[in-house]
Amino acid sequence: MTAALQPLDLPSLAERLCKAHAATRPLMLDIIGDACRRIHSLGDSERTARLTRLVDAEAWADAALVVMALELPMWQVRRIAYDDGEWHCALSRERELPDWLDAAVEVRHADLALALLSAFVEVRALTADVSRPSVPSVRPALDPLYEPVACDNFG
């Protein structure tokens, strides 16, 4: 079964990210293998080659940003901040809105890469439930007892 057809186990990934102390190659590869759909469909493109180089160099934060850019093109990093020993990361679809109007996904972790990846997995969990077809929907058929009536007055 291909990765695109396997059900996502995002709660398990989120729990592993929460418990981890630092990003590792096996964890990053599990996230790419289990939570990513677009990356697999891109094949051996320049963008996936860049991601591979970043993973090989253990540049976890940069790799997390590339994963987000490839997998969540409609989402952007709204905020990355370090406060009281934790990294706070917020992802948003409407980055230009004021904070109080935006429905951003916010997570925190002691490790920057894990905060970014946790935000990614959180957004994937939100968007996995939303079914959006790739083609426009067709309106349902009208009631069989419904008959349109002409209202024009030609007389």
Side-chain angles (χ1 to χ4, degrees):
M1 184 185 258
T2 65
L5 299 177
Q6 294 174 353
L8 296 176
D9 187 12
L10 297 173
S12 167
L13 275 178
E15 185 176 335
R16 285 182 60 198
L17 286 167
C18 186
K19 291 180 179 180
H21 296 290
T24 62
R25 182 181 182 83
L27 182 58
M28 180 64 82
L29 293 178
D30 284 348
I31 290 168
I32 293 170
D34 295 342
C36 297
R37 300 291 188 246
R38 291 174 182 241
I39 289 174
H40 300 295
S41 67
L42 291 173
D44 292 330
S45 69
E46 177 56 36
R47 295 183 294 181
T48 58
R50 179 172 181 240
L51 178 59
T52 301
R53 288 191 304 271
L54 290 170
V55 170
D56 290 343
E58 297 182 2
W60 306 126
D62 290 336
L65 290 169
V66 169
V67 165
M68 287 189 287
L70 293 174
E71 288 292 318
L72 304 171
M74 300 298 292
W75 290 78
Q76 301 169 344
V77 175
R78 180 177 180 90
R79 180 177 49 259
I80 298 175
Y82 185 77
D83 184 35
D84 200 25
E86 290 185 317
W87 288 96
H88 298 258
C89 178
L91 297 181
S92 172
R93 289 191 72 173
E94 302 292 335
R95 188 170 65 177
E96 302 305 320
L97 286 177
D99 282 345
W100 59 276
L101 280 176
D102 190 18
V105 170
E106 297 188 40
V107 296
R108 63 179 193 232
H109 198 285
D111 183 81
L112 173 60
L114 293 178
L116 293 166
L117 290 169
S118 295
F120 165 72
V121 170
E122 189 77 23
V123 170
R124 288 290 295 156
L126 283 174
T127 58
D129 295 337
V130 178
S131 174
R132 291 191 183 126
S134 59
V135 294
S137 299
V138 177
R139 290 190 292 184
L142 298 175
D143 185 3
L145 300 176
Y146 171 81
E147 284 190 41
V149 176
C151 297
D152 294 333
N153 186 357
F154 295 109

